[in-house]
Amino acid sequence: MRRLPLCVLVLALGSPPVGAQGHRPVAPPEAMVAPTPRYQRTQSPPAPVQLSARVKPSVLPAAGPAATPANPRPSVDVAKVLELESAVSWRPEQEQILVQLILNTPDSEIEEKTDYHFRLATLYANGQRFWMAKASDPKAADTAKTFLLKAVKAFKALTDNEAFRNYPKMDLALFRYGYALQTGKYMKEARAVYDKLLKSYPNSKYVPNAHLGFAEYYYDAGQFTDAEARYKEVMKFPRSNVYWYAFYKTAWIHLQLQRHQDAIDAFARVVFATRTDFKQNFLYEAAKRELVHAYAAIGKVEKSFDAFSRLDKEGAAELVLVLADHARERGEIDTAIGAYGQLIARAPKDRRLCTWQYRLAHGLLSASTATAADKLGAIEELVNVYARHRAALAADADASINDAIPGIDTECRENAAAMSGELALAYHSEWSKTRNATTLDAALRLYAKHTATFPSEPLRKAFAEAAWSRAALELDPKQRVTRWQLAASAFARLTSIEDLRAASLAWLNAMDYVPPDAKLRLARTPARIPKPLPFKPGEAAITTAMASFITLATTATTNPQPVGDPARLTEELVVVRLGLATMLRASRRFDQATDVLDHLLEDHPEHAHAELAAHLLLDSMVQAKNDNLPAVVAAMLADRAFIATKPHLVANLTALRARR
């Protein structure tokens, strides 16, 4: 029949009208097998995925005290505490000048000559420490020993000379002499020098330094009992500049001997005693951070933020971060996860929030106690963190991507995208092997979160395929409708004819749509044209997808090189048109439904569902009070070949003609 110039199609979608769809009996629950979808399609298996380093669970060391190759060590250099001169690069001319001064200064100038000896010895000692610090230099060890020998010779010349015994800095010279020997691992000789200092200068301010020298030697040798005794000797001098360092090292002894509460108490004493002392700020910072090592052994991670706030209210987050990283490095994954959780909960505005959430999510992948829900929730929240910050950035026209909105940077985006996208693909691939619906549900959750934030054609396609697979597995009839709608919506965001076909078929599966009996009673002419019903969420997109599929499929069925099986495509095209018209009629968009049905009759007048299409067309025109209805009735009655086997249609046409 001739297609009439009806209204332009407006894409919309509504619920199917009462009596306009068929319903199939649902399989009994005891069968535990999902019914075969009425409208099917062939799916390709998901491609295998290779997890990147951002996502792959870490190979962690076994948890415990011996988890790492080397236990943590004190971070404070004793040379800094002893206020030794900086170990700067040595220049030959310095030595030459001092040697020449010693040679040229007469013995009668005892004070000057003694000072030159002291300065030369100190110069050599500094050179020794300078080269000891350059461990990467292959000649460092030999050069350091050369300087040590020169320092020992110079200090010995100074301290053994009776003429110099009244030198005001002799106690300092003895200490530095002993310290040079000690750092060179000549402890027997160092002890002799320290003993001389203690006996000859019992009231010297360097007495505690001498005791400290012994303590450091014993500590480095692992003789913690002897070291502790010597540190206690140092602590008999509360005004000494090494007093709180001795407490600090005693805390480390407690830590090494696993006396964790004693270690916490000692570190805390150092923290509170040095917090306002600018000169000892380095000790304050070290004790504060290293207390975390003891806390990690006995403290409760869920109370860590409060505990560390008592030490440093402003720096509590930093200390919890130390705890988290310390636990992570030692393989104590549950502690690390708990600490990162504390940071996220207690410092949600910190610019490192995205990093913390990533480490939490990544850590959960390796945690034996973590459930699938824990892992999925953490990954979803990682994407949420990125999305929230990104939205805040977009709202601030003057914001810089790196500093105006905390945590927004490439690393955050890449971590969130990789965790959600790659793991969605991994779960999907795993499901293809196990056919476990729970695994497929996990893939769907991550696909949904990823595609909402990171538009990606391949993953949108994978999401749609996963949604189709899950809908086909659903046992619950109510849930099945929702799942088919999700699959339809996912495919509707794509553009190929196959994807639009899948969107159309999925929606028909959601409706469980069967073209109804062609014997349809026509509606009475309404007093006024019905107002369209509002669309439900997602319906407009599905309607657009179905209309696009109809357009592409119509072209494909007449193409010399058609897409797929032409007969199958023609059959699906007819059913999709009927389904679309039914949905438009349900939303009272009768003019749009009229246009769809008119095209169907023009393209497929001999199809088995042509009579149904004719009835629906007539009824739609009646309800829309379409002025073209008389012409359509006349054209159908004139088409003898079309109405020859359709007595019910003839009756409706005759009744409509009589209404005039």
Side-chain angles (χ1 to χ4, degrees):
M1 61 178 286
R2 181 177 60 85
R3 186 173 71 83
L4 300 176
L6 303 178
C7 64
V8 177
L9 178 63
V10 178
L11 301 176
L13 176 62
S15 302
V18 177
Q21 69 175 34
H23 292 280
R24 180 166 37 126
V26 177
E30 58 269 17
M32 297 301 289
V33 175
T36 302
R38 184 177 297 280
Y39 302 98
Q40 301 181 50
R41 51 187 288 274
T42 301
Q43 288 183 275
S44 300
V49 59
Q50 185 69 34
L51 297 181
S52 69
R54 291 181 186 275
V55 179
K56 190 179 298 183
S58 301
V59 179
L60 298 172
T68 52
N71 284 325
R73 295 181 60 82
S75 62
V76 175
D77 181 2
V78 68
K80 184 174 182 64
V81 181
L82 294 172
E83 298 181 342
L84 298 175
E85 290 90 343
S86 300
V88 296
S89 179
W90 175 85
R91 298 194 302 273
E93 60 268 23
Q94 294 174 303
E95 177 187 20
Q96 294 169 5
I97 292 171
L98 287 169
V99 169
Q100 195 63 41
L101 285 170
I102 291 171
L103 292 174
N104 294 339
T105 303
D107 292 343
S108 58
E109 300 292 337
I110 191 70
E111 187 173 340
E112 285 187 40
K113 193 160 190 171
T114 308
D115 195 55
Y116 293 147
H117 276 285
F118 175 77
R119 288 164 61 186
L120 180 62
T122 300
L123 178 69
Y124 290 143
N126 285 344
Q128 175 208 12
R129 289 191 293 111
F130 173 80
W131 285 101
M132 285 181 65
K134 295 174 70 68
S136 60
D137 192 321
K139 64 179 182 179
D142 290 340
T143 307
K145 188 169 183 179
T146 298
F147 274 102
L148 171 61
L149 295 176
K150 287 186 175 184
V152 168
K153 183 177 179 181
F155 276 124
K156 184 174 177 60
L158 172 64
T159 58
D160 286 357
N161 193 329
E162 279 296 313
F164 300 152
R165 66 179 180 274
N166 293 324
Y167 178 55
K169 296 182 181 179
M170 187 58 74
D171 55 345
L172 175 58
L174 285 168
F175 168 67
R176 291 189 175 180
Y177 183 13
Y179 186 75
L181 288 165
Q182 178 182 337
T183 55
K185 308 301 181 185
Y186 293 96
M187 196 57 201
K188 180 180 178 181
E189 291 79 1
R191 286 188 61 173
V193 175
Y194 284 144
D195 283 337
K196 184 176 180 179
L197 169 60
L198 294 173
K199 291 175 182 177
S200 302
Y201 300 93
N203 297 319
S204 169
K205 71 175 185 177
Y206 297 106
V207 166
N209 295 33
H211 286 300
L212 184 64
F214 282 111
E216 289 290 289
Y217 167 77
Y218 290 132
Y219 183 93
D220 291 340
Q223 298 173 233
F224 296 128
T225 301
D226 293 332
E228 186 173 16
R230 284 290 183 167
Y231 285 127
K232 287 181 178 179
E233 288 296 320
V234 176
M235 287 187 281
K236 291 178 180 179
F237 301 87
R239 295 185 178 181
S240 168
N241 65 319
V242 296
Y243 177 79
W244 287 111
Y245 177 78
F247 259 103
Y248 167 78
K249 290 303 290 284
T250 300
W252 270 98
I253 290 174
H254 293 319
L255 186 62
Q256 300 288 10
L257 298 177
Q258 300 187 38
R259 302 193 299 241
H260 298 111
Q261 188 58 56
D262 291 338
I264 290 174
D265 293 342
F267 278 127
R269 285 195 65 180
V270 176
V271 170
F272 287 116
T274 60
R275 67 193 318 162
T276 60
D277 187 345
F278 175 76
K279 290 184 177 180
Q280 298 199 80
N281 183 66
F282 65 94
L283 199 56
Y284 163 73
E285 292 293 342
K288 184 177 63 174
R289 295 175 68 85
E290 290 160 26
L291 178 148
V292 172
H293 297 306
Y295 187 90
I298 62 172
K300 294 182 178 179
V301 67
E302 65 273 14
K303 296 183 178 180
S304 58
F305 204 98
D306 290 330
F308 296 148
S309 291
R310 289 192 287 272
L311 284 176
D312 183 359
K313 185 176 181 180
E314 299 300 322
E318 298 299 326
L319 298 180
V320 178
L321 181 58
V322 172
L323 174 64
D325 291 343
H326 171 74
R328 184 165 168 261
E329 291 168 3
R330 291 166 62 86
E332 296 163 356
I333 193 64
D334 289 338
T335 299
I337 290 169
Y340 287 126
Q342 280 276 296
L343 287 168
I344 292 164
R346 301 296 293 274
K349 295 183 179 180
D350 193 285
R351 66 178 297 106
R352 294 162 296 179
L353 181 66
C354 192
T355 298
W356 298 341
Q357 184 64 41
Y358 167 68
R359 290 183 180 177
L360 171 65
H362 192 263
L364 284 168
L365 299 182
S366 305
S368 59
T369 57
T371 65
D374 293 334
K375 298 173 184 179
L376 294 174
I379 295 168
E380 288 173 324
E381 182 56 23
L382 173 61
V383 179
N384 289 341
V385 168
Y386 173 76
R388 285 197 301 269
H389 288 322
R390 192 70 188 180
L393 180 64
D396 186 351
D398 298 325
S400 161
I401 195 168
N402 285 321
D403 54 24
I405 305 300
I408 290 299
D409 51 28
T410 302
E411 191 70 13
C412 179
R413 185 188 190 284
E414 293 302 318
N415 285 337
M419 289 288 281
S420 57
E422 291 181 25
L423 285 174
L425 291 167
Y427 277 120
H428 195 179
S429 180
E430 180 65 19
W431 168 79
S432 69
K433 303 170 188 173
T434 64
R435 297 291 160 171
N436 185 315
T438 302
T439 305
L440 189 54
D441 284 337
L444 282 171
R445 281 182 60 175
L446 295 183
Y447 276 137
K449 182 60 66 175
H450 179 92
T451 56
T453 309
F454 308 103
S456 163
E457 188 73 21
L459 262 64
R460 291 208 306 270
K461 171 72 170 177
F463 176 29
E465 293 290 354
W468 181 287
S469 298
R470 186 62 184 89
L473 295 175
E474 184 55 58
L475 298 172
D476 186 323
K478 292 183 179 179
Q479 286 293 320
R480 191 180 309 126
V481 172
T482 301
R483 292 196 183 280
W484 279 119
Q485 288 175 339
L486 173 63
S489 297
F491 276 112
R493 291 197 290 269
L494 305 174
T495 56
S496 75
I497 183 173
E498 281 301 324
D499 293 325
L500 295 172
R501 168 180 172 257
S504 303
L505 299 183
W507 197 263
L508 294 179
N509 282 332
M511 298 170 63
D512 200 17
Y513 180 76
V514 179
D517 193 323
K519 296 177 181 180
L520 181 69
R521 178 176 294 180
L522 301 182
R524 293 181 179 276
T525 303
R528 62 178 61 88
I529 298 174
K531 292 183 178 180
L533 297 174
F535 293 139
K536 295 178 182 178
E539 289 181 340
I542 296 298
T543 307
T544 300
M546 295 179 81
S548 298
F549 169 65
I550 290 169
T551 300
L552 293 174
T554 301
T555 303
T557 55
T558 58
N559 195 305
Q561 295 181 331
V563 178
D565 179 11
R568 183 213 70 191
L569 201 57
T570 296
E571 190 64 29
E572 290 176 347
L573 180 57
V574 170
V575 176
V576 169
R577 276 174 160 161
L578 286 171
L580 176 58
T582 300
M583 290 185 287
L584 291 170
R585 282 166 49 80
S587 65
R588 297 180 182 176
R589 287 165 171 78
F590 295 109
D591 279 339
Q592 291 94 336
T594 296
D595 196 41
V596 172
L597 294 164
D598 184 46
H599 278 82
L600 189 160
L601 287 170
E602 181 181 14
D603 294 342
H604 308 287
E606 298 179 357
H607 194 277
H609 293 317
E611 183 177 4
L612 169 63
H615 284 299
L616 293 174
L617 172 64
L618 295 171
D619 187 72
S620 298
M621 297 183 77
V622 168
Q623 299 197 54
K625 303 185 74 171
N626 193 302
D627 293 338
N628 291 312
L629 179 59
V632 171
V633 170
M636 283 189 181
L637 286 172
D639 192 342
R640 296 297 179 182
F642 180 70
I643 64 174
T645 58
K646 302 176 177 63
H648 186 66
L649 176 61
V650 172
N652 276 337
L653 289 168
T654 302
L656 284 173
R657 185 170 59 182
R659 288 185 186 182
R660 292 182 300 174

